[in-house]
Amino acid sequence: MTFEADSETSTDLEWSVTRNPAPRSAKERAEILGNPGFGKFFTDHMVGLTWSISGGWQQPRVQPYGPISLEPSAAVLHYGQEIFEGMKAYRHEDGSIWTFRPEANAGRMQRSARRLALPELPLEYFVDSLRQLIAVDRDWVPSAPETSLYLRPYMFATESFLGVRPAEKVAYYVIGSPAGAYFHGGVAPVSIWLSTNFARAGKGGTGAAKTGGNYASSLVAQAEATENGCAQVMFLDSAEGKYLEELGGMNIVLVYHDGTVVTPKSDSILEGITRDSVLDLARDRGHKVEVRQVTIDEWREGAASGDIVEVFACGTAAVITPIAQLKAAEFTIGKADAPAGELTMALRKELTDIQYGRAEDRHGWLTRLDA
Ligand code: PLP
Ligand code: COI
């Protein structure tokens, strides 16, 4: 199979490169890559750009991974003006390094930026920043099955000012973190907790943006999930507490007995790129796909009657993770030891086969990062 490098995203940015004078040794790196977990270890470098209202995007640089110096009055520390993205670099069997639909992440970051009154990073700068990190830290992209280098682009308000208005100085960085499975049990089906005390987002709020505040506000609900033996929390709509929205860090998809694949429609959830891709793969297989409102009662009744046969979570970190059970204060749907669904696992295999270059990239989703 041959893949074409994407030439549309080359830029005129001239990156300065400062090598880390004390990178981890090959032995240390191998130990980390052998058991990376999720989000615990970081590569030797990071990539940065700064922005100011007068100068635009400037100072493109690759620098050693390390602490960032901020004024104590930096706006992000007070008003949370911050956005981020999550994506992965995958090593193919021939050693080449690829990422999945970066233009979709770049576009979502621009939408998040608009919502948080931050500057929009051009698509080509976004993709270039990923390439720059891979150019210096390519050895950090693991090759064991199911592993990848998680890439975390993020942007925040650095201006020293306590007035409440969009900051006029901003920083953008990309860091890389070798990743295995997000959940402790790997691909094993998880239990999730239904939050009825807390909402994630509301009409006109920031639910559709990937901004730190959404995750900060999910933490007490996530802690409640953990106390109840669940791996993730699920939120309902805030207005009626009736419609499924999403999990703290992933989208949700339900599979019906007749093969229909359904996922919640809402203006206040994150438009997942994994979800969008999975829906395409389901359509390709001839499944009917519906993006529509789904009530919690529909799930309860559908699971009891056998009309809903599989449920899964999906996202960059979670990939596709089967959901065995939903626990709520007053009721439970499914059983903790329920096996993974057949379509769930088939879609998971198909998606990861494309990402790791084992299957044809028929939708043109992959972009090469190391060439
Ligand atoms: N929903 C939330 C709240 C998330 O944090 C994520 C992860 O990024 C997703 C959904 C899934 O999005 P994606 O598939 O683009 O990673
Ligand atoms: C991602 O999947 O990229 C996220 O940002 C979700 C988070 C749970 C790590």
Side-chain angles (χ1 to χ4, degrees):
M1 196 184 320
T2 56
F3 296 98
E4 300 241 337
D6 192 342
S7 58
E8 283 170 23
T9 50
S10 59
T11 65
D12 51 5
L13 288 180
E14 286 189 19
W15 299 84
S16 70
V17 179
T18 310
R19 287 268 173 181
N20 190 329
R24 253 69 53 86
S25 68
K27 183 167 171 279
E28 283 172 298
R29 194 173 58 234
E31 267 166 30
I32 292 171
L33 298 189
N35 186 17
F38 184 87
K40 292 191 290 189
F41 302 102
F42 301 92
T43 67
D44 291 319
H45 297 89
M46 59 192 196
V47 171
L49 283 164
T50 54
W51 177 91
S52 72
I53 197 160
S54 52
W57 291 106
Q58 50 206 315
Q59 294 179 297
R61 64 200 183 278
V62 179
Q63 62 189 92
Y65 177 90
I68 293 171
S69 161
L70 280 179
E71 294 275 347
S73 50
V76 66
L77 301 177
H78 303 272
Y79 309 127
Q81 197 189 359
E82 186 266 359
I83 57 174
F84 67 97
E85 270 305 319
M87 49 210 303
K88 285 174 170 172
Y90 305 91
R91 191 180 286 283
H92 288 189
E93 214 186 332
D94 65 359
S96 60
I97 297 167
W98 301 76
T99 195
F100 189 69
R101 304 186 68 182
E103 61 294 332
N105 292 90
R108 187 169 68 189
M109 194 168 206
Q110 290 176 340
R111 294 196 295 282
S112 297
R114 287 201 286 277
R115 182 63 185 82
L116 271 291
L118 283 162
E120 289 178 44
L121 184 73
L123 161 72
E124 57 277 16
Y125 288 12
F126 182 89
V127 177
D128 208 4
S129 68
L130 308 176
R131 289 209 167 99
Q132 294 299 321
L133 186 68
I134 295 302
V136 287
D137 280 338
R138 59 169 301 134
D139 291 346
W140 283 93
V141 183
S143 53
E146 298 276 337
T147 62
S148 59
L149 182 67
Y150 184 78
L151 300 170
R152 172 56 61 87
Y154 60 113
M155 190 193 293
F156 54 91
T158 53
E159 187 185 356
S160 163
F161 182 55
L162 294 185
V164 182
R165 60 143 170 75
E168 297 184 351
K169 287 189 181 153
V170 163
Y172 166 80
Y173 286 97
V174 188
I175 55 174
S177 177
Y182 185 75
F183 293 114
H184 293 309
V187 194
V190 295
S191 294
I192 62 172
W193 174 252
L194 179 67
S195 175
T196 45
N197 297 327
F198 304 103
R200 178 185 172 276
K203 192 170 184 307
T206 57
K210 204 159 168 62
T211 180
N214 292 342
Y215 298 79
S217 74
S218 79
L219 297 177
V220 285
Q222 177 62 38
E224 206 175 80
T226 307
E227 276 161 28
N228 285 281
C230 294
Q232 267 279 304
V233 58
M234 192 184 75
F235 294 103
L236 300 176
D237 74 290
S238 60
E240 296 184 67
K242 189 167 141 187
Y243 298 103
L244 308 191
E245 292 248 294
E246 62 177 327
L247 313 189
M250 44 212 78
N251 293 121
I252 188 163
V253 177
L254 303 94
V255 182
Y256 287 66
H257 187 247
D258 68 357
T260 306
V261 173
V262 179
T263 191
K265 181 179 170 63
S266 163
D267 291 337
S268 53
I269 63 177
L270 192 78
E271 291 172 304
I273 294 155
T274 315
R275 173 174 102 143
D276 187 64
S277 312
V278 163
L279 297 185
D280 275 350
L281 295 180
R283 279 187 204 101
D284 292 351
R285 288 168 171 254
H287 289 265
K288 191 169 151 204
V289 168
E290 294 174 357
V291 182
R292 62 164 170 85
Q293 288 187 313
V294 185
T295 64
I296 185 71
D297 286 345
E298 177 176 342
W299 185 359
R300 262 180 100 170
E301 286 156 21
S305 69
D307 197 26
I308 294 176
V309 289
E310 301 181 27
V311 185
F312 62 85
C314 59
T316 299
V319 192
I320 291 181
T321 302
I323 295 176
Q325 186 186 43
L326 175 87
K327 281 166 82 176
E330 317 257 290
F331 61 90
T332 296
I333 304 175
K335 292 199 174 73
D337 59 356
E342 214 174 292
L343 183 64
T344 302
M345 295 314 281
L347 289 170
R348 188 181 201 288
K349 179 171 186 313
E350 195 173 0
L351 178 69
T352 53
D353 279 351
I354 294 171
Q355 289 169 332
Y356 287 92
R358 296 184 296 252
E360 190 199 345
D361 177 23
R362 63 181 185 278
H363 291 279
W365 283 336
L366 300 189
T367 291
R368 189 161 178 183
L369 290 181
D370 64 332

